[in-house]
Amino acid sequence: MLTEAFLAALLYGAVTAAVPLLLAGLGEQMSEKAGVLNIGIEGMMIAGAFAGFFVAYHSGSLWAGFGGGILAGMAVALVMALLCVGLGLNQIVIGIGLTLGFEGLTALMHHFLFSRTYPRLPAAEALAIPLLDRIPVLGGALFNHPPVVYLAVLAVPGMAFLYRRTQLGLNLQAAGDRPAALDVAGVDVTATRFAAVLTTGAFAGLGGAYLACVGAGIFVPFVTNGAGFMGIVLAMLARGRPVWVLAGAMLFGICLALTTAAQVAGVNLPTDVIQMLPFLAVMVMLVLFGRRASLPAALGIPYERGAR
Amino acid sequence: MNTDARADGAGATGQGAVAAAALGALRAGLMAAVPILLALLLAGLLLMAFGKDPLAYYGYVVRRGLLSPSGLEQTLTRMAPLLLIAAGLIVAFRAGIWNLGIDGQFMLGALAAAASGPALSGVIPGWAVLTVAAGLGALAAMAWSVLPALLRAFQGVNEIITTLMMSFLGLSLANALVKLVFRDPATTVPQTRTLPVDERLPRLFETTVSSGLVIGLVAVVAVHLMMTRTAFGLRLRIVGAGPRAAVHAGLDLPWLTVAVFALSAALAGLAGAVDVLGVYGNIRADWNPGFGLVVIPVVFLARLNGFAAIGFVFLFSMLSIGGESAARRLGVPTVFTLVLVAIVLIVLAVAEWLDQRARARRA
């Protein structure tokens, strides 16, 4: 079974499955750095998935779909930001509400707009990277993907640069660790957190749109199936480093790809057993490294000026 | 969310106290009614946007879930698992622990009951079958909460994410076990063996209402009294007030945390067991009612008060039963109830914020 072709297919599938998790993880990481525990990310992803699919289906353009997904994710994030950052409402309660609400709303919209049909989008065109794609096994698996995949991976060094080298990145982290200090330094904590949550929405929405348009090619209700929550785990375990989000996303991606591979190979097990694999991986990671997860000091606490 | 609605009149005496208590009750009533009405309105607008008549929908839901005798009986029966889940959530939330893994715990509880009930039927007396099956349901769910509990208690790993992950795992595991291990060989559709109707939980009086309702009512009242009237409940509430408060009070924080998880999950597992033993008699593959997260808004509406929870569970149960009929008749899918519940949760949070701000202004 461990032929070169199989390995290449597995790795290719792992990248495809990892991209939404990577985007969700990077987005959640930014929120958490700024002090907002974003449980609503699952709702942002499903909104992005539906909007992305809907736009791509009607416009025929994948890029338009991604744009639609980003906007939808940001729209959900705007609600979260208004309620949790603006009014300081409980982030967990609102997060659950947004996740439930948008899972329901997208299922409802799918029902009324598509009834029981599940139209399929054409396969996304891949962009082979010259020379690199000739590397045996790895080339085809890693360097022959739709362009958006490379963009998602490039976001990793981009985010690392943002956090390490820019004033904005420092402000973001201060908003999560010691918001009062940021306030004293004359930077608006609320605005900083607002920007962070909206960025999370954009990332999560793009991740959802990718999941529906490229990963699955169709939209079915509840299609994200916990991908947003996995993004939260990635952000928790990455200790603020974007590159660890990438590593974790690839690990979970391999697990997800194994589930597909096992089904294609005709392994005689119900899909339920195979579907447990990525979640098992998450739990193993949490058991092994959960203790070392480091979270910002003011995570989950609304900032109130002058409060002690 | 604040749970000290009654603290308002604490300082007043005599007639003033009565008036203050009446005012407090009025405010609590308003604080619950306004979000519900506003949510019904917003969700109604959504229905209109999809070209459905909201008045016709709500009217149909009330007629089917409340006014028709068989519908009312179904509504009361549906309350049983919901009340048990509400009890489990009240324990956890009052102790400041976010058990969001109810769905998985519920399914494993249901599976344990569905696997053991029919197997024991005829071997031991009927009442013992029900007791053992329900007990195993509670135990199975408890076992499923051990890992998140230990991670939270001894490693400080956030339980929101671990319980959610365990929930996904539990749902898949329960499904896999239905198909692989506990499958009834006599049926073509994968499902567990069925507990005969006359061996299930007895029905109440001359109705079709399952006596699970009584179990649910007892559980939610017992939990309420435990949390408000006993020393153990007080300890749990101190844990809920914050880990530093608990350590300062000399409490064994890790083990109290584990106890909260165990109790909360046991109630969720019992909910699944009662649903199987009282209503369905078996589990079909891929069955998952998804009660776990939707009960959260219900217990917040009730301000984590057990008695108030009974009323709101009744309301939600009616919406849920009526909504299932409406899905068949009016073509509005049952996920609409999910949207409605989410709107309630968000509107409620905003209403509380407005209420607190108004109070702060007056003070």
Side-chain angles (χ1 to χ4, degrees), chain A residues 185-257:
Chain A
V187 181
D188 191 335
V189 175
T190 307
T192 310
R193 288 186 170 181
F194 233 91
V197 173
L198 284 181
T199 312
T200 305
F203 272 86
L206 179 60
Y210 174 90
L211 190 67
C213 300
V214 180
I218 57 172
F219 179 87
V220 286
F222 304 98
V223 66
T224 47
N225 192 29
F229 297 134
M230 286 195 195
I232 301 178
V233 175
L234 288 172
M236 267 172 73
L237 295 175
R239 313 187 80 198
R241 304 268 311 270
V243 66
W244 283 109
V245 176
L246 177 62
M250 271 312 285
L251 181 72
F252 295 159
I254 288 173
C255 290
L256 283 165

Side-chain angles (χ1 to χ4, degrees), chain B residues 3-345:
Chain B
T3 53
D4 55 353
R6 284 172 303 155
D8 274 0
T13 51
Q15 277 195 319
V18 175
L23 248 153
L26 187 69
R27 154 175 272 151
L30 268 179
M31 280 300 297
V34 170
I36 293 178
L37 290 176
L38 203 56
L40 287 174
L41 186 75
L42 287 172
L45 289 176
L46 192 66
L47 279 181
M48 276 172 75
F50 289 123
K52 299 278 172 185
D53 179 359
L55 289 179
Y57 176 83
Y58 289 137
Y60 185 79
V61 165
V62 173
R63 273 204 308 282
R64 280 291 309 156
L66 183 66
L67 301 179
S68 88
S70 70
L72 182 61
E73 285 174 350
Q74 283 179 331
T75 296
L76 291 171
T77 299
R78 168 74 47 96
M79 280 176 76
L82 298 174
L83 283 170
L84 284 160
I85 290 174
L89 287 176
I90 288 173
V91 173
F93 290 172
R94 282 209 171 204
I97 284 167
W98 294 92
N99 177 9
L100 301 188
I102 297 281
D103 277 331
Q105 292 155 9
F106 175 95
M107 275 304 290
L108 287 169
L111 178 77
S116 59
L120 293 171
S121 156
V123 183
I124 55 176
W127 61 268
V129 172
L130 293 174
T131 317
V132 171
L136 286 174
L139 275 178
M142 236 194 259
W144 207 244
S145 80
V146 165
L147 191 57
L150 293 179
L151 282 173
R152 158 78 197 238
F154 295 101
Q155 305 271 312
V157 179
N158 186 317
E159 77 281 8
I160 297 173
I161 210 68
T162 49
T163 51
L164 272 170
M165 292 292 127
M166 290 299 281
S167 192
F168 281 104
L169 275 175
L171 291 174
S172 294
L173 178 68
N175 256 326
L177 289 176
V178 168
K179 290 171 190 165
L180 291 177
V181 182
F182 299 114
R183 183 173 175 172
D184 182 354
T187 57
T188 47
V189 188
Q191 63 179 46
T192 63
R193 287 173 59 205
T194 308
L195 191 67
V197 174
D198 55 334
E199 290 176 34
R200 295 181 198 167
L201 287 171
R203 290 174 171 176
L204 292 175
F205 313 111
E206 301 294 304
T207 67
T208 61
V209 179
S210 160
S211 52
L213 175 63
V214 179
I215 301 177
L217 288 170
V218 169
V220 81
V221 170
V223 158
H224 183 80
L225 295 179
M226 183 193 84
M227 293 309 284
T228 53
R229 299 268 188 274
T230 68
F232 182 66
L234 178 65
R235 281 192 205 119
L236 295 189
R237 280 186 291 148
I238 296 174
V239 173
R244 287 174 69 184
V247 172
H248 193 68
L251 298 180
D252 188 349
L253 186 59
W255 287 111
L256 279 175
T257 305
V258 173
V260 169
F261 270 103
L263 199 53
S264 177
L267 286 162
L270 194 58
V274 161
D275 219 14
V276 165
L277 298 174
V279 183
Y280 302 102
N282 62 22
I283 292 184
R284 291 183 187 183
D286 299 321
W287 176 70
N288 168 24
F291 292 145
L293 293 179
V294 295
V295 179
I296 292 176
V298 177
V299 297
F300 278 132
L301 272 174
R303 299 175 166 252
L304 308 184
N305 177 311
F307 294 107
I310 297 173
F312 291 113
V313 162
F314 176 75
L315 190 70
F316 175 73
S317 188
M318 181 198 87
L319 282 174
S320 148
I321 293 289
E324 281 170 21
S325 284
R328 292 187 291 270
R329 178 64 72 84
L330 302 180
V332 176
T334 51
V335 285
F336 177 71
T337 319
L338 200 63
V339 179
L340 188 61
V341 157
I343 299 179
V344 170
L345 191 62

Side-chain angles (χ1 to χ4, degrees), chain A:
Chain A
M1 201 160 118
L2 286 172
T3 60
E4 267 183 29
F6 175 81
L7 274 180
L10 184 68
L11 209 53
Y12 186 88
V15 173
T16 303
V19 168
L21 303 179
L22 170 66
L23 288 166
L26 287 176
E28 180 72 25
Q29 187 168 51
M30 175 169 278
S31 254
E32 290 188 6
K33 267 183 189 288
V36 180
L37 180 63
N38 200 335
I39 302 281
I41 194 169
E42 182 82 12
M44 296 171 196
M45 278 193 99
I46 193 91
F50 182 78
F53 174 80
F54 186 81
V55 173
Y57 177 70
H58 283 288
S59 70
S61 154
L62 210 51
W63 289 103
F66 292 146
I70 289 174
L71 287 180
M74 287 179 80
V76 182
L78 183 65
V79 180
M80 174 110 194
L82 284 172
L83 296 178
C84 296
V85 180
L87 303 187
L89 300 184
N90 186 315
Q91 297 169 3
I92 301 169
V93 172
I94 298 299
I96 297 171
L98 288 177
T99 294
L100 284 182
F102 280 92
E103 280 182 345
L105 186 64
T106 49
L108 211 56
M109 290 176 82
H110 183 266
H111 174 88
F112 284 119
L113 294 172
F114 294 95
S115 188
R116 293 219 163 81
T117 63
Y118 298 95
R120 185 169 277 281
L121 294 177
E125 266 178 56
L127 171 72
I129 303 217
L131 298 180
L132 287 179
D133 69 329
R134 306 250 184 93
I135 303 171
V137 184
L138 289 181
L142 297 182
F143 301 107
N144 193 15
H145 282 277
V148 68
V149 173
Y150 308 125
L151 287 181
V153 176
L154 282 177
V156 174
M159 298 296 254
F161 180 79
L162 175 76
Y163 296 138
R164 288 195 149 194
R165 300 264 180 238
T166 68
Q167 186 65 43
L168 183 62
L170 289 176
N171 288 350
L172 280 170
Q173 292 171 72
D177 269 324
R178 206 167 277 269
L182 186 64
D183 202 0
V184 168
V187 181
D188 191 335
V189 175
T190 307
T192 310
R193 288 186 170 181
F194 233 91
V197 173
L198 284 181
T199 312
T200 305
F203 272 86
L206 179 60
Y210 174 90
L211 190 67
C213 300
V214 180
I218 57 172
F219 179 87
V220 286
F222 304 98
V223 66
T224 47
N225 192 29
F229 297 134
M230 286 195 195
I232 301 178
V233 175
L234 288 172
M236 267 172 73
L237 295 175
R239 313 187 80 198
R241 304 268 311 270
V243 66
W244 283 109
V245 176
L246 177 62
M250 271 312 285
L251 181 72
F252 295 159
I254 288 173
C255 290
L256 283 165
L258 272 175
T259 65
T260 321
Q263 279 159 331
V264 173
V267 175
N268 195 15
L269 277 175
T271 48
D272 306 285
V273 178
I274 300 169
Q275 275 171 359
M276 291 170 74
L277 202 58
F279 295 105
L280 266 177
V282 172
M283 283 311 292
V284 169
M285 293 279 281
L286 282 169
V287 169
L288 291 179
F289 305 115
R291 177 168 218 152
R292 297 188 11 204
S294 86
L295 295 171
L299 184 64
I301 305 167
Y303 181 65
E304 196 181 331
R305 217 172 197 175
R308 289 212 302 149

